[in-house]
């Protein structure tokens, strides 16, 4: 602990870590979330370029060591968010894949940030989960230091900075893409912010899905979505979108009735954030399956 | 070259102690009470957004009295240290015992520095029990860095001893939240009435600041009691 009575004082936890404990932010100098530039690693990047080139030309090449490493990393798959008449829903499947294997069946990709917001993550799971954890601390740290919470837009911008500082890793193919959703207490509505791999931030007024099955989920949302949906109506649409993502995308996990694993769904409205319990998600899918069978 | 004046170490320390005590004597008090669901902290504070009681970490809160810039710096350092430690290891590894030691070292080091003024602060670092098998912790830190554990009820500030004397007779185990808030309010009224008998002092939601560490809450156990809640409790 540093007694910083007269020192520089910040309410930005990321800045604090960069100053006090930069080693916590980097993977031996790769600069994840940090500002240290990527060290020259000609071997690694040459491997990667060779692989990308061969891949683009549709060739199968002897897998270089770096690709073995990439294949061993967990990837998060489908996440989505949708605004409904009283707030916003944010959800994700529970599977992570490593190469062509199921790497993890029960991973969580949607995290509560504070009472009125949540983050969902897709991309390389390790750094993505770390980003979610860091973001949660970032928002809470600000609130405690300043005595009042960040605005929803302020939280979204600070997440953009985190994605941005992951750029060196993204350029190596280790991409992290979050969705941020929350209830804006001032404007009394649910809001969604999406990000690209280099930290570009865009507000979505209706719905958004990303990750490997994002496109399929997005297609379903597009067909079934209407902005004045009620909470229950929106939950049905979200469940169906995740179902279609799992149906079309091999990497996305569907509801698993044998192991009792169901997608994570969180709802945020003016009363705060709440989890939809597993039993309720199970019911949503039982009903969906009944509909699909008929 | 003239020889520097010699001042004995005993005298230096005595003067520092007198200085710090004088600062704290002027300070308004904070009462901390254990109640059924956790720990209640109540301060006499007419300001609506400048706090003496604040959240440090999931189960830890700080009640402070004395010189604002001194305890504000300690509050900041506490939150900073706790968040970095929790991020490095795990949230449950951040304990009040660890933080009390950190504070003790820092406050003590400043107290012993020859060219620094001692911190004019008195702190209560409160931590709510993890479950019914463990205990609440209330660490009482003094301006020289020494600290000890209190339980049931404790007071910091100028008239701490007198107030603790009143609570000794009035406090009972197993108070509910409103009972505990009313006890604190009554105690403040008694001590203020003794100080100035002509004008009877009335505690209202605007004259006090109150917060709880409530074990029924989720991860973050700290909650401020809003003026509306306080008025309701006090008027009942």
């Amino acid at each position: 602990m540093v007694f910083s009575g007269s020192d520089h004082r910040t309410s930005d936890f990321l800045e604090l870590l960069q100053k006090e404990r930069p080693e916590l932010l980097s993977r031996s100098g790769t600069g994840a979330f940090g500002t240290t530039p990527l060290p020259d690693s000609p071997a690694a990047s040459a491997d990667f370029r060779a692989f990308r080139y061969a891949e683009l030309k549709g060739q199968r090449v002897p897998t270089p060591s770096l690709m073995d490493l990439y294949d061993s990393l967990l990837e998060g798959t489908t996440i989505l968010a949708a605004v409904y008449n009283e707030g916003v829903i944010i959800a994700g499947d529970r599977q992570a894949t490593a190469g062509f294997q199921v790497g993890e069946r029960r991973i969580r990709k949607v995290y509560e940030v504070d009472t009125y917001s949540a983050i969902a993550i897709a991309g390389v799971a390790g750094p993505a989960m770390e980003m979610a954890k860091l973001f949660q601390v970032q928002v809470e740290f600000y609130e405690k230091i300043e005595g009042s919470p960040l605005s929803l837009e302020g939280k979204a911008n600070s997440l953009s900075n985190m994605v941005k500082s992951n750029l060196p890793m993204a350029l190596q193919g280790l991409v992290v893409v979050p969705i941020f959703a929350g209830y804006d207490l001032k404007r009394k509505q649910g809001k969604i912010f999406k990000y690209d791999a280099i930290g570009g931030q865009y507000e979505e007024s209706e719905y958004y899905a990303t990750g490997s099955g994002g496109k399929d989920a997005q297609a379903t949302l597009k067909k079934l979505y209407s902005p004045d949906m009620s909470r229950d109506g929106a939950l049905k649409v979200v469940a169906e979108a995740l179902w279609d993502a799992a149906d079309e995308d091999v990497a996305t996990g569907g509801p698993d009735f044998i192991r009792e694993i169901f997608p994570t769904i969180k709802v945020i409205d003016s009363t705060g954030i709440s989890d939809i319990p597993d039993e309720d998600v199970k019911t949503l899918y039982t009903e969906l399956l009944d509909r699909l069978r008929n | 070259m003239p020889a520097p004046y010699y001042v004995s170490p005993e005298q230096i320390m005595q003067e520092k102690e007198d200085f710090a005590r004088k600062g704290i004597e002027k300070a308004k008090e904070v009462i901390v009470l254990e109640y059924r669901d956790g720990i209640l902290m109540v301060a006499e504070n007419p300001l609506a957004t400048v706090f003496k009681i604040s959240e440090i970490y999931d189960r830890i809160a700080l009640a402070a009295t004395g010189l604002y810039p001194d305890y504000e710096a300690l509050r900041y350092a506490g939150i900073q240290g706790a968040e970095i430690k929790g991020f490095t290891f795990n949230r449950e590894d951040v304990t009040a015992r660890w933080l009390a030691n950190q504070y003790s070292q820092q406050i003590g080091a400043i107290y012993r520095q020859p060219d620094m003024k001692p911190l004019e602060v008195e702190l209560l670092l409160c931590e709510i029990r993890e479950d019914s098998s463990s205990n609440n912790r209330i660490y009482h830190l003094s301006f020289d860095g020494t600290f000890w554990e209190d339980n049931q009820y404790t007071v910091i500030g100028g008239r701490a001893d007198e107030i603790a004397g009143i609570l000794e007779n009035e406090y009972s185990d197993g108070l509910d939240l409103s009972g505990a808030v009313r006890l604190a309010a009554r105690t403040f009224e008694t001590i203020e009435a003794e100080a100035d008998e002509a004008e009877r002092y009335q505690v209202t939601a605007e004259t006090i600041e109150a917060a709880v560490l409530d074990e029924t809450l989720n991860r973050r156990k700290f909650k401020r009691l809003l003026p509306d809640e306080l008025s309701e409790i006090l008027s009942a």
Side-chain angles (χ1 to χ4, degrees):
Chain A
M1 183 168 74
V2 190
F3 179 78
S4 45
S6 56
D7 277 346
H8 169 63
R9 199 180 130 108
T10 178
S11 43
D12 183 345
F13 188 69
L14 183 61
E15 185 191 334
L16 179 68
L17 270 193
Q18 281 164 350
K19 198 171 118 234
E20 300 287 334
R21 301 291 303 275
E23 75 280 6
L24 290 179
L25 291 169
S26 73
R27 282 186 182 68
S28 57
T30 55
F33 317 142
T35 47
T36 19
L38 191 68
D40 264 343
S41 55
S45 48
D47 269 6
F48 184 62
R49 276 202 300 274
F51 181 87
R52 285 290 299 161
Y53 181 71
E55 196 185 46
L56 289 171
K57 299 198 65 170
Q59 292 169 353
R60 193 73 192 139
V61 284
T63 316
S65 56
L66 188 62
M67 294 323 296
D68 284 345
L69 169 73
Y70 280 19
D71 275 351
S72 72
L73 300 180
L74 296 187
E75 288 259 356
T77 48
T78 307
I79 50 170
L80 62 83
V83 173
Y84 68 99
N85 63 359
E86 284 176 337
V88 61
I89 296 178
I90 183 163
D93 75 310
R94 298 284 299 277
Q95 187 161 299
T97 47
F100 293 102
Q101 298 271 309
V102 172
E104 170 71 63
R105 290 182 199 282
R106 295 169 197 273
I107 199 168
R108 294 206 177 268
K109 302 173 196 170
V110 186
Y111 298 89
E112 176 179 331
V113 174
D114 61 6
T115 320
Y116 293 102
S117 64
I119 179 176
I121 43 152
V124 195
M129 286 161 74
E130 209 173 273
M131 188 186 286
K133 179 181 156 192
L134 180 58
F135 180 53
Q136 191 267 323
V137 175
Q138 168 95 348
V139 167
E140 193 173 311
F141 186 72
Y142 181 97
E143 182 187 331
K144 284 193 288 199
I145 297 296
E146 300 290 325
S148 60
L150 272 167
S151 65
L152 192 66
E153 197 108 356
K155 291 174 204 165
N157 289 337
S158 110
L159 180 56
S160 165
N161 288 334
M162 275 179 204
V163 182
K164 228 181 275 169
S165 60
N166 192 45
L167 181 64
M169 295 247 299
L171 292 176
Q172 295 265 302
L174 301 176
V175 169
V176 175
V177 269
I179 297 179
F180 177 62
Y183 187 80
D184 190 331
L185 286 164
K186 268 198 186 135
R187 291 157 196 88
K188 307 213 183 306
Q189 56 172 335
K191 282 191 169 182
I192 300 170
F193 296 89
K194 64 177 181 183
Y195 299 85
D196 59 26
I198 60 169
Q201 175 191 317
Y202 314 92
E203 192 177 332
E204 266 306 330
S205 53
E206 298 185 324
Y207 58 83
Y208 180 64
T210 188
S212 62
K215 230 174 163 186
D216 307 300
Q218 184 99 354
T220 305
L221 287 167
K222 182 179 171 185
K223 293 289 176 206
L224 301 179
Y225 182 84
S226 90
D228 48 7
M229 284 187 307
S230 68
R231 180 177 185 270
D232 287 348
L235 282 173
K236 280 186 190 145
V237 172
V238 163
E240 190 161 345
L242 282 173
W243 169 268
D244 285 335
D247 203 28
E248 295 296 324
D249 172 43
V250 286
T252 302
D256 185 337
F257 287 91
I258 297 169
R259 298 185 185 84
E260 297 269 320
I261 307 170
F262 299 99
T264 317
I265 308 181
K266 291 184 195 288
V267 179
I268 313 166
D269 61 18
S270 59
T271 62
I273 187 166
S274 54
D275 281 325
I276 304 296
D278 273 355
E279 311 87 74
D280 296 4
V281 180
K282 186 177 176 181
T283 313
L284 278 173
Y285 277 104
T286 315
E287 286 168 12
L288 174 65
L289 291 182
D290 285 343
R291 278 208 306 283
L292 292 174
R293 282 194 197 97
N294 297 319
Chain B
M1 199 175 98
Y5 290 114
Y6 174 76
V7 187
S8 74
E10 289 83 0
Q11 193 187 336
I12 294 176
M13 294 322 266
Q14 187 59 48
E15 279 171 3
K16 284 196 173 203
E17 186 180 333
D18 292 346
F19 174 83
R21 280 196 196 284
K22 229 180 259 170
I24 296 162
E25 259 166 34
K26 287 180 288 187
K28 287 278 188 187
E29 299 77 11
V30 185
I31 297 180
V32 168
L33 299 169
E34 287 187 64
Y35 74 105
R36 205 178 50 203
D37 296 326
I39 302 173
L40 167 73
M41 295 151 278
V42 185
E44 274 196 281
N45 181 5
L47 306 174
T49 55
V50 180
F51 299 122
K52 300 180 154 212
I53 303 164
S54 31
E55 177 183 16
I56 297 291
Y57 208 62
D58 299 354
R59 294 187 294 114
I60 304 174
L62 180 69
T65 190
L67 192 66
Y68 178 78
D70 284 359
Y71 66 71
E72 171 59 17
L74 288 166
R75 181 189 79 96
Y76 176 78
I79 297 173
Q80 172 182 310
E83 289 290 1
I84 290 181
K85 187 175 191 214
F87 188 77
T88 314
F89 302 108
N90 192 315
R91 297 196 79 88
E92 65 188 46
D93 299 315
V94 177
T95 60
R97 193 173 70 90
W98 163 78
L99 192 55
N101 268 303
Q102 298 279 336
Y103 276 148
S104 160
Q105 291 298 313
Q106 298 282 356
I107 299 171
I110 290 170
Y111 184 69
R112 288 186 300 272
Q113 281 280 324
D115 57 347
M116 278 177 98
K117 84 161 189 74
L119 295 176
E120 295 157 77
V121 291
E122 198 174 4
L123 309 175
L124 291 173
L125 191 64
C126 308
E127 179 183 53
I128 194 171
R129 59 190 165 232
E130 232 158 320
D131 49 53
S132 51
S133 66
S134 54
N135 291 320
N136 294 328
R137 299 269 177 236
I138 303 171
Y139 294 100
H140 192 143
L141 287 119
S142 181
F143 56 86
D144 57 359
T146 54
F147 73 100
W148 57 94
E149 275 184 54
D150 284 333
N151 54 49
Q152 292 186 313
Y153 60 87
T154 185
V155 190
I156 48 174
R159 294 163 296 177
D161 292 342
E162 290 100 301
I163 295 184
I166 300 173
L167 285 169
E168 195 180 349
N169 299 322
E170 302 274 321
Y171 181 84
S172 59
D173 282 327
L175 285 169
D176 64 0
L177 177 61
S178 35
V181 172
R182 281 198 290 269
L183 170 58
R186 223 170 37 237
T187 309
F188 278 132
E189 278 172 2
T190 313
I191 196 89
E192 294 294 352
E194 278 172 17
D196 182 3
E197 279 174 50
E199 195 182 340
R200 181 146 168 76
Y201 177 82
Q202 169 106 47
V203 167
T204 68
E206 282 70 43
T207 65
I208 56 169
E209 166 197 350
V212 287
L213 286 167
D214 179 345
E215 65 182 350
T216 63
L217 298 176
N218 288 328
R219 178 173 61 82
R220 289 169 78 177
K221 306 290 188 190
F222 181 87
K223 193 179 121 210
R224 279 190 199 287
L225 299 178
L226 301 172
D228 290 351
E229 290 171 80
L230 275 177
S231 306
E232 201 172 305
I233 293 172
L234 292 174
S235 61

